Amino acid sequence: MVVKVYISRTSGDMEIKSRQQAVLQILDSKKIIHEVIDIAEDDNKEQKEFMQKNATSIGATAMEPNPVHSLPPQIFNDGEYCGDYDEFEMANENKDLDRFLKLVPEEVEIHTSTAEMKISSNQQEEINDT
């Protein structure tokens, strides 16, 4: 699994540039292996279309409050969408970056069968009786 950060090195929006730089600096500082994909490069046209099609957060900025397509930086783990800058920043602040980047498995829900609940209930009654 590879964390992929979609950026645009030719963006004229300083907020986008600042966001991109912050994401890359954080990933570097935490030694998280990642791939940078510059969607402004002609060779990355398919990657740009993939990002625009699969990113569900738009990454709006003050300069572009209602963009037509999702704005960089957008973060994926291979083909699975993680989120935009705001979601990345929130995960980092909450010390939840590994989960956000899908580097750890989602927590597994533990289901208890009816039989286990009855046994547990009976055990609790025995404890209460003593």
Side-chain angles (χ1 to χ4, degrees), residues 6 9 15 21 25 41-42 44 48 52 57-58 67 69 76 83 85 89 100-101 104-105 114-115 118 120-121 127 129:
Y6 290 76
R9 287 196 172 95
E15 190 174 353
Q21 184 178 16
Q25 284 177 339
E41 292 181 3
D42 290 337
N44 290 335
K48 178 180 180 179
Q52 290 175 339
S57 298
I58 60 171
H69 295 289
F76 288 76
Y85 170 77
E89 181 182 42
F100 169 80
L101 295 171
V104 294
T114 306
K118 284 182 182 176
S120 178
S121 178
I127 292 170
D129 290 341

Side-chain angles (χ1 to χ4, degrees), residues 25-63:
Q25 284 177 339
I26 290 168
L27 293 174
D28 286 341
S29 72
K30 295 185 180 292
K31 297 183 180 3
I32 296 173
I33 298 170
H34 59 281
E35 178 183 345
V36 177
I37 300 166
D38 185 353
I39 62 170
E41 292 181 3
D42 290 337
D43 293 347
N44 290 335
K45 189 175 183 175
E46 287 180 20
Q47 295 285 2
K48 178 180 180 179
E49 290 171 3
F50 172 84
M51 183 205 83
Q52 290 175 339
K53 180 181 175 189
N54 294 289
T56 57
S57 298
I58 60 171
T61 65
M63 195 168 164

